Amino acid sequence: MTDDAPERSRRAFLRSAGTVAGGTAAAGAAGTAAAQEEDGGGGGGKPDYGGWLSDVGNFSTTEDFRGQDEVTVEVGVEGNGDYWAFGPPAMYVDPGTTIIWEWTGRGGGHNVVGENDDYSSGPSTGEAGTTFERTFDEAGIHKYYCDPHLSVGMKGAVVVGEDYPTVSTGGNTGPVVPESAKLLGVSSGFVMTAVLGCTYFFMKYGGDYGDES
């Protein structure tokens, strides 16, 4: 062993500790991004559709169109056993956004009707290129459907602004800890354990655990 072996060992120890800490920071950032995605991309929370989209075959997530003045929804896309779906079926938009429904010409005759029948595109039609538009100014969840295909799940929803019903946390009476914070806590514990282990090894063997090339 040469005289500078302990010094090289100390440098290796510090580099190892730095690598672990860097990995923890990256894991924490990834957890924060995942939490934002689950939370509606930083909006008011995950929308509570009240089961409205539970039987919509092509619904998997609420797509984000905030920042756009107009958004087009296709009427008659594949879903629910045929071309009996809206595409996309659910979206986030800003107040004042105009939704333009455009017919694809597939799946027979369709129309667009507000959940409470407060607006309608009129009688169903299967003509491709037909359009119907409506501007949503009021914040909240605005639901709609296709009258001829309501029973098979041809429904949609427009989430306007950030003031809308959100999914309940399930009756948790204590403080809610974000998933990113939980991940950071676990990662921090791992770092502490790793550093203490390296320190013990360093002290036990006096830094002499092999030369570095």
Side-chain angles (χ1 to χ4, degrees):
M1 179 183 71
T2 60
D3 292 339
D4 61 346
E7 183 61 30
R8 288 200 302 270
S9 298
R10 291 187 185 93
R11 288 199 299 269
F13 167 73
L14 292 174
R15 283 200 299 271
S16 299
T19 300
V20 174
T24 302
T32 300
Q36 290 178 346
E37 182 177 357
E38 177 65 20
D39 199 38
K46 188 175 182 179
D48 184 359
Y49 295 111
W52 180 253
L53 301 177
S54 61
D55 60 345
V56 177
N58 66 325
F59 171 69
S60 60
T61 186
T62 304
E63 298 191 27
D64 195 346
F65 292 96
R66 285 170 289 196
Q68 299 188 29
D69 295 329
E70 295 182 349
V71 179
T72 298
V73 176
E74 290 186 293
V75 181
V77 301
E78 190 170 4
N80 305 306
D82 204 322
Y83 287 89
W84 296 334
F86 294 102
M91 63 181 68
Y92 296 105
V93 299
D94 295 319
T97 300
T98 298
I99 306 300
I100 302 174
W101 288 272
E102 182 173 356
W103 275 245
T104 65
R106 298 177 176 179
H110 306 295
N111 64 356
V112 176
V113 184
E115 179 191 19
N116 300 315
D117 298 329
D118 51 339
Y119 60 89
S120 172
S121 63
S124 61
T125 178
E127 184 178 352
T130 300
T131 61
F132 170 70
E133 65 180 58
R134 178 177 177 82
T135 299
F136 291 90
D137 295 312
E138 183 179 353
I141 299 177
H142 301 265
K143 306 170 184 176
Y144 62 91
Y145 63 92
C146 167
D147 191 25
H149 302 112
L150 173 61
S151 62
V152 297
M154 190 169 178
K155 295 179 288 186
V158 181
V159 182
V160 181
E162 296 187 359
D163 185 13
Y164 54 82
T166 57
V167 175
S168 171
T169 57
N172 187 356
T173 57
V176 178
V177 180
E179 289 299 323
S180 57
K182 295 178 183 177
L183 177 61
L184 186 58
V186 172
S187 302
S188 298
F190 174 77
V191 170
M192 292 178 63
T193 302
V195 171
L196 288 173
C198 291
T199 302
Y200 171 78
F201 187 87
F202 182 79
M203 294 177 64
K204 180 177 178 63
Y205 296 101
D208 185 11
Y209 54 87
D211 293 340
E212 277 188 5
S213 57

